[in-house]
Amino acid sequence: ALSSHQWDDDYLTSLSSSSSPVTAASTPQFRATSGAAPLPAQFSLSQYISYAQQTRDEAPLYLFDRTFATLAPTLHDDYSPHLPPHFQNTHLHPTTNNTHHDLFHLLGKSARPD
């Protein structure tokens, strides 16, 4: 898959910048959590990469954001052509409203990890 060859720290950091000035308000913020975190945190990709390179936590935060396709369409485009057919057209695609492939819905809203 393209994503497995392309998604390195430099590439992901470049997605947080552009040719025009980027402000904190316009930089996408992704949800990060862990089993030990009482509340989720918000990171830009470049902030998360910096955190991941420096942390030595026993239970580090990981990115878990079901809206990543909307927040980072480039990542979605890198990843989605390589999905097996039974995973395509799910809630990960920013233009569909089809959530029946979202298995977390079986847990109910209060038990969703996202």
Side-chain angles (χ1 to χ4, degrees):
L2 175 65
S3 54
S4 65
H5 299 291
Q6 186 170 329
W7 288 5
D8 61 15
D9 292 351
D10 293 333
Y11 177 72
L12 294 173
T13 301
S14 75
L15 295 177
S16 292
S17 61
S18 68
S19 57
S20 61
V22 176
T23 64
S26 67
T27 302
Q29 300 288 303
F30 295 87
R31 185 176 185 271
T33 190
S34 81
L39 296 171
Q42 298 290 322
F43 287 95
S44 69
L45 286 175
S46 60
Q47 290 169 330
Y48 183 78
I49 289 168
S50 178
Y51 161 79
Q53 291 171 338
Q54 296 174 25
T55 191
R56 299 296 176 253
D57 291 343
E58 199 168 298
L61 297 172
Y62 55 90
L63 292 181
F64 187 87
D65 196 321
R66 64 182 168 165
T67 64
F68 91 93
T70 305
L71 296 171
T74 301
L75 290 179
H76 178 266
D77 293 346
D78 290 347
Y79 185 74
S80 63
H82 309 288
L83 287 174
H86 54 279
F87 288 121
Q88 292 178 6
N89 298 321
T90 67
H91 75 283
L92 295 175
H93 195 284
T95 60
T96 66
N97 247 350
N98 185 355
T99 59
H100 74 276
H101 289 107
D102 174 16
L103 297 181
F104 286 132
H105 84 280
L106 298 171
L107 300 173
K109 283 189 174 191
S110 63
R112 288 185 69 96
D114 59 352

